[in-house]
Amino acid sequence: MKKTSSQIRREFLDFFKKNGAEIVPSDSLIPSGDSTLLFTSAGMVQFKQHFLGQSKDAFTRAASCQKCFRTSDIEQIGQTTRHLTFFEMLGNFSFGDYFKKESINWGWEFLTKNMSLPIDKLYITVYKDDDEAEEIWKKIVPASRITRMGEDTNFWNMGDTGPCGPCSEIYIDLGQDCGCGKPTCSVGCDCDRYLEIWNHVFTQFDKQPGGSLKPLPRKNIDTGMGLERLVAAANGQKSIFNTDLFMPIMEAAASILKIKPDKNNTVQLRMIADHCRAVTFLISDGILPSNEGRGYVLRRILRRALRTGKILGHSEPFLNELSSAVFKIMEPAYPELSAKLSNIKSIISVEEEKFLETLQSGSDILFQMIDSYKSKKAQIISGEDVFKLHDTYGFPFDLTKEIALENGLDIDGEGFKRRQAEAQEKSRASWEGSGEKDIAFYSAIHKKAGDTVFEGYDKNGVEGGVLSLIKDGIEVQTLNAGETGEIVLSKTSFYAESGGQIGDIGILENNLFKAEVLGVFKPIGSLFVHKIKVLSGSVKAKDIVKTVFDFQTRRQTARHHTCVHLLQAVLREIFGSHITQAGSLVSNNYLRFDFTHFAPIKREDLFAIERKVNAAIMENMPVIVKTMPISEARSAGAMALFGEKYGETVRTISIKNNQNNSVFSMELCGGTHVERSGDIGFFKIISESSIGAQTRRIEAMAGLAACDYIDAQERQILQTAEFLNAGGKDVFFEKVKKNAASVKELENQINVLKSRQFLSDIDSYLKEVQNIKGFNFAPILVKDADIKSLRDLSDKIKEKLTSAVIILVSQSQEKVSFIVSVTKDYVQKGIDAGKIAKSFAADINGSGGGKADFAQGGGKEISKVEKALKEAGKHMFIIVASILVEKALNEAGKHI
């Protein structure tokens, strides 16, 4: 009888719940349990504190179905029947509770009875020295189906030292037709015959320096089984792609791409299905495409899938549509996808359009480059050229390599890495020492001190005991007057930085001591660490101190935080439910709200947003704080932060509409807020800008900060009016307009005079013309010319030369402007002004583009202009070489 993936997922969790396990929801793909990891790559990641004995949870048995993401096998995706980037890992865990016997027996029972896997097809591996595990298995299966394996496959290490232990794996034999045919083919072979189903890790040792193994007093179990592999095995399939987790996606992909699935495109459709699943869930968990970290990995796999679609003949975006097929399959297990699907599709769509444009321009340059290397009979594209493609056109390194190999060339990967390292040096210097705390250090303090009790929502002046004192990253017994350090208390009224809100400032004191609190943060769990400067006296461990936060700073911060909630509600009302928070900063000085949206917000819309938020403030609506189960909060429509993980019980902030008792806004939030919206006073938007693909940022002020801002603006207007001798606001505006018109007229007159001067110097400019293999190329630098003057000069040069590629660059004190002009005969030979403009603009950190015969652009990197003109010459040489090679090939073809 066939089982669906949903049935198998549910049956696994129910089986271990029956055996005493706590069913723990999947963690985000952004690991909450280990800040050192880029992605959640295994089920045990969220239980790291449990394995280390540092968790406050009461349960000692757990089971989960964990979303996971890995790129270690990315080159094999689609090539094999078993490799994936995104997958779900079923796991059962014991933290000092049951051990090998129970884990092995339950594993066998679930596979053979619940999943009905054929017993004669199952094989076992154990670590070569694990007699205990082998003895348990011998009571279940014949010894002939048990294989001892080495440390490389069957022994797990957390690091060079620390917890470790042997593994035991369960394999299924998929048959000889899936094998490599070698006489040595057996369990552990790299071919597809023996598929690993379930790995049981027995964490029983503590590895010492030198390699000796010391038994752990508290032994743990960590198991992992890929849901996709289990679904295939339980349904008698030899490929994970022939299951209900993938077939509908592959069929939808074939339909969108307008191709018929067959053996020639199976690999590509598998890869597209896998990557689309990964992209959908990465974005769902709050990761946005970017050029670094998690965002870069997301961008890379999205682009791989998109380029594969292009190889299959489809040159339009399609992954955004295909994500609906992923949603349909996965939504029953991950209902949070419902509220996020529109946003996910929008983010994918923008990224697809952006990359298709990049792919076209980058591909053109790469193929010109390949033709040039082939004409010189060179076999390896230099690291410098590969880096330029990557840095200038955003063309991915891996795609450059793939295309080069397809065309019989290789690339200098090491040279690329060296060039990339040089370019990243400045960036690396900017984030080094950014202050990320040593989690292991604070974890040890947390284990000893426990959570800090926060009573600051409705109390000030709370007394707390000193649990730890820290100076320069080391625990100390005393902090004295004049010293700075950190202090951990048993109780506090200080809010710790979290959820985008800054930590409180204020005073710690008792009869013998007083310190200024400069900020508060939570490095792990609910451990509140106060950054202090001792003003007088000294403080010692076990002292009792009074915690007094600065009320005015807290109150102004609260105004801004409640404003963030009002702002998000208004944005969703005006623009739609695709608006999702992508980040925020809430301080006493101002608020910053980042959100997903596809286009700049028009000025009139900003006025409308501002007006609606202020109208909500004037309604003086009650702000209601309530703690409830997360299921109840979701049912009530509470909004959660994109990608954030929440516990079973959550704190909600609701703003109720006075007129009809409806909910204006409801969010999950741990921050501090005003009691009524009227307490905010006034709201003013300061700026709106882009911070990335389809991500916008609004900066605003409220309350006293907004009043100060308006005062400063008004003062500036009055000073300007006084300077212009303009009285009322109408007179002021007319005066400014009149002065601006006068300035514009004078600038035009100056430009006319400059243009005449440039044209009179035409003979000196013609001396700059270069002849590249019979092609005229004129890279010319002029001073302080406007675009019209550059156009006039270009027309004059074309009259003199008849045929030419002309780059005219105007350099002023503040910026660079340029045009690229190509005569018609050169356009017909394949030279494109738009592409040359994009290349030149990239060299001066600017932007540019246009048509084949004319393009223009600009930038601000004045110091790079001369080098960019030289690079333009090299680029022109490559173009000409490509044209000549093509001409030679055509001539050769005529004689065949």
Side-chain angles (χ1 to χ4, degrees), residues 280-394:
T280 301
F281 274 93
L282 288 169
I283 296 175
S284 171
D285 280 353
I287 299 167
L288 298 174
S290 69
N291 287 327
E292 57 187 17
R294 299 181 180 101
Y296 173 73
V297 179
L298 166 60
R299 174 167 282 169
R300 181 186 176 200
I301 62 167
L302 189 154
R303 290 180 169 188
R304 286 187 91 241
L306 195 59
R307 180 175 180 260
T308 301
K310 191 170 174 66
I311 290 171
L312 292 173
H314 193 81
S315 298
E316 300 293 327
F318 69 92
L319 291 171
N320 64 90
E321 184 180 348
L322 189 58
S323 64
S324 293
V326 177
F327 165 78
K328 190 173 181 180
I329 296 167
M330 305 301 283
E331 191 268 342
Y334 302 97
E336 65 271 17
L337 287 174
S338 297
K340 299 174 180 177
L341 181 62
S342 174
N343 189 48
I344 291 168
K345 294 178 73 171
S346 300
I347 291 170
I348 294 174
S349 179
V350 170
E351 184 68 15
E352 287 184 291
E353 290 171 4
K354 183 178 175 182
F355 180 58
L356 285 172
E357 182 181 340
T358 297
L359 193 62
Q360 186 59 52
S361 58
S363 293
D364 290 345
I365 299 299
L366 176 56
F367 281 116
Q368 291 170 6
M369 202 178 279
I370 288 171
D371 289 341
S372 174
Y373 273 86
K374 285 185 173 180
S375 70
K376 294 182 288 187
K377 300 190 182 305
Q379 298 295 312
I380 299 175
I381 300 176
S382 74
E384 178 69 30
D385 282 340
V386 176
F387 177 75
K388 184 176 180 181
L389 269 172
H390 172 76
D391 193 50
T392 303
Y393 301 100

Side-chain angles (χ1 to χ4, degrees), residues 549-746:
F549 60 75
D550 184 278
F551 180 78
Q552 292 303 327
T553 301
R554 164 77 79 89
R555 187 166 179 78
Q556 182 59 27
T557 303
R559 290 187 181 110
H560 282 144
H561 204 149
T562 304
C563 260
V564 166
H565 289 217
L566 294 175
L567 175 59
Q568 179 163 216
V570 168
L571 286 169
R572 289 172 68 85
E573 178 187 341
I574 293 176
F575 298 113
S577 59
H578 69 276
I579 297 287
T580 305
Q581 181 174 340
S584 68
L585 172 66
V586 179
S587 74
N588 59 312
N589 296 318
Y590 76 108
L591 70 88
R592 186 178 74 209
F593 184 70
D594 301 338
F595 57 98
T596 53
H597 190 52
F598 336 117
I601 297 178
K602 297 174 183 175
R603 185 184 300 171
E604 55 267 31
D605 287 331
L606 288 174
F607 287 140
I609 293 164
E610 204 172 75
R611 188 173 183 82
K612 281 181 175 289
V613 172
N614 278 313
I617 290 170
M618 291 177 197
E619 280 294 319
N620 199 27
M621 296 181 284
V623 179
I624 300 166
V625 181
K626 189 177 180 182
T627 301
M628 63 181 71
I630 192 168
S631 56
E632 183 182 335
R634 282 177 174 157
S635 299
M639 290 192 65
L641 186 61
F642 207 53
E644 188 74 9
K645 186 186 178 187
Y646 297 92
E648 288 301 308
T649 303
V650 293
R651 183 174 182 261
T652 63
I653 305 295
S654 302
I655 304 173
K656 292 288 185 73
N657 195 312
N658 289 325
Q659 296 178 358
N660 54 19
N661 202 35
S662 62
V663 176
F664 186 87
S665 166
M666 184 179 183
E667 296 191 29
L668 308 185
C669 181
T672 61
H673 291 267
V674 298
E675 294 180 357
R676 301 188 73 90
S677 64
D679 297 341
I680 294 168
F682 173 61
F683 171 79
K684 179 65 183 171
I685 293 175
I686 307 305
S687 68
E688 188 275 340
S689 60
S690 169
I691 59 167
Q694 71 181 51
T695 307
R696 310 299 301 179
R697 169 173 290 173
I698 284 178
E699 293 183 330
M701 293 178 177
L704 295 174
C707 292
D708 291 343
Y709 175 79
I710 294 296
D711 287 347
Q713 294 289 102
E714 188 173 356
R715 199 173 290 113
Q716 192 173 38
I717 290 170
L718 290 172
Q719 288 172 349
T720 307
E722 186 179 331
F723 177 78
L724 294 171
N725 196 25
K729 64 178 182 180
D730 294 332
V731 177
F732 171 67
F733 178 71
E734 288 301 321
K735 195 93 173 186
V736 170
K737 195 162 71 168
K738 184 178 178 181
N739 280 1
S742 297
V743 170
K744 186 69 176 176
E745 176 62 26
L746 290 171

Side-chain angles (χ1 to χ4, degrees), residues 206-220:
D206 183 6
K207 182 177 281 189
Q208 305 297 303
S212 62
L213 301 177
K214 181 181 177 182
L216 283 170
R218 170 185 156 116
K219 296 177 174 61
N220 301 317

Side-chain angles (χ1 to χ4, degrees), residues 81-82 108 111 116-125 144-145 147 169-182 185-189 191-198 229 232-239:
T81 59
R82 65 187 190 276
W108 185 258
L111 291 180
S116 302
L117 297 191
I119 293 175
D120 62 330
K121 298 292 183 183
L122 297 179
Y123 288 79
I124 311 300
T125 67
S144 60
R145 294 220 300 275
T147 304
E169 300 167 319
I170 304 174
Y171 286 79
I172 186 168
D173 182 1
L174 298 179
Q176 290 185 358
D177 57 320
C178 296
C180 56
K182 297 176 182 176
C185 184
S186 61
V187 173
C189 184
C191 70
D192 288 339
R193 175 172 178 176
Y194 295 95
L195 180 69
E196 180 195 330
I197 297 288
W198 204 342
R229 295 186 178 192
N235 288 286
Q237 295 294 333
K238 297 182 178 182
S239 168

